[in-house]
């Protein structure tokens, strides 16, 4: 069965709904999780939803995912622009990975315009708001189906 996925959220995304609403909207992470679980279940996927502000915890989660999960959706948040460790962990995963950003990082400050993971992931979604999570789930399900 190719149907177990994880959605990984990096630092400060626990404050979704409170931080910079003009960039990230008003939905909370808890509500977003509910939407993601609903969509995943509709598509027959089992989903884990994870958030951490700690780089090493994200690296550990990616490492642990490699043996029992089939795909990753990751919004690495600020670590996107800084973390070689998260990039290396994702490279070890060897299964479909979708990079996701709520905002359009290429329209923002220069330091956000560089992603350290874009060139090693399967594909990416950015600038479409939190709907990007739903689109990423749909895309990942298709990628996993095509592998069967
Ligand atoms: C983000 C963009 C990052 O630059 C920022 O640090 C975030 C969120 C996004 O979803 O648009 O925390 O990944």
């Amino acid at each position: 069965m190719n149907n177990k996925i994880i959605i990984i959220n990096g630092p400060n995304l626990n404050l979704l709904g409170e931080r910079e609403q003009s960039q990230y909207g008003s939905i909370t992470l808890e509500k977003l999780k509910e939407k993601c679980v609903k969509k995943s279940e509709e598509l027959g996927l089992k989903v884990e939803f994870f958030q951490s502000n700690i780089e090493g915890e994200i690296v550990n989660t990616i490492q642990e995912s490699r043996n029992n999960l089939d795909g990753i959706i990751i919004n690495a948040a600020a670590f996107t622009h800084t973390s070689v460790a998260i990039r290396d962990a994702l490279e070890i995963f060897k299964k479909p990975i979708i990079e996701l950003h709520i905002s359009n990082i290429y329209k923002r400050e220069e330091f956000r315009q560089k992603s350290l993971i874009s060139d090693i992931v399967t594909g990416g979604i950015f600038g479409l708001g939190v709907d990007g999570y739903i689109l990423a789930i749909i895309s990942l399900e298709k990628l996993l189906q095509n592998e069967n």
Side-chain angles (χ1 to χ4, degrees), residues 11-13 19 24 75-78 80-81 100-105 108 112:
N12 299 307
L13 290 169
R19 69 184 289 224
Y24 305 121
N75 184 347
T80 308
H81 319 295
L100 170 74
H101 300 286
I102 299 168
S103 65
N104 182 347
I105 56 173
R108 299 184 62 191
R112 289 185 208 277

Side-chain angles (χ1 to χ4, degrees), residues 29-70:
L29 193 66
E30 203 44 44
K31 278 266 171 275
L32 178 59
K33 176 182 171 179
E34 279 171 27
K35 276 178 183 265
C36 290
V37 169
K38 185 165 174 270
K39 189 67 197 178
S40 300
E41 283 174 355
E42 263 170 45
L43 296 173
L45 296 172
K46 295 204 169 86
V47 67
E48 287 176 30
F49 197 88
F50 173 79
Q51 190 277 330
S52 177
N53 293 328
I54 300 167
E55 185 178 15
E57 284 185 2
I58 295 173
V59 170
N60 285 343
T61 299
I62 297 167
Q63 284 189 10
E64 284 157 17
S65 301
R66 80 189 190 284
N67 293 324
N68 56 355
L69 297 177
D70 305 305

Side-chain angles (χ1 to χ4, degrees), residues 67-126:
N67 293 324
N68 56 355
L69 297 177
D70 305 305
I72 292 178
I73 295 168
I74 182 162
N75 184 347
F79 291 145
T80 308
H81 319 295
T82 62
S83 178
V84 176
I86 289 176
R87 176 197 168 91
D88 287 350
L90 289 172
E91 259 196 307
I92 297 164
F93 183 68
K94 308 249 181 288
K95 287 178 261 190
I97 301 170
I98 298 182
E99 175 183 0
L100 170 74
H101 300 286
I102 299 168
S103 65
N104 182 347
I105 56 173
Y106 301 101
K107 251 173 49 181
R108 299 184 62 191
E109 302 97 320
E110 207 178 328
F111 66 85
R112 289 185 208 277
Q113 293 176 22
K114 173 78 188 160
S115 163
L116 295 190
I117 65 173
S118 289
D119 63 319
I120 55 134
V121 297
T122 313
I125 295 173
F126 58 86

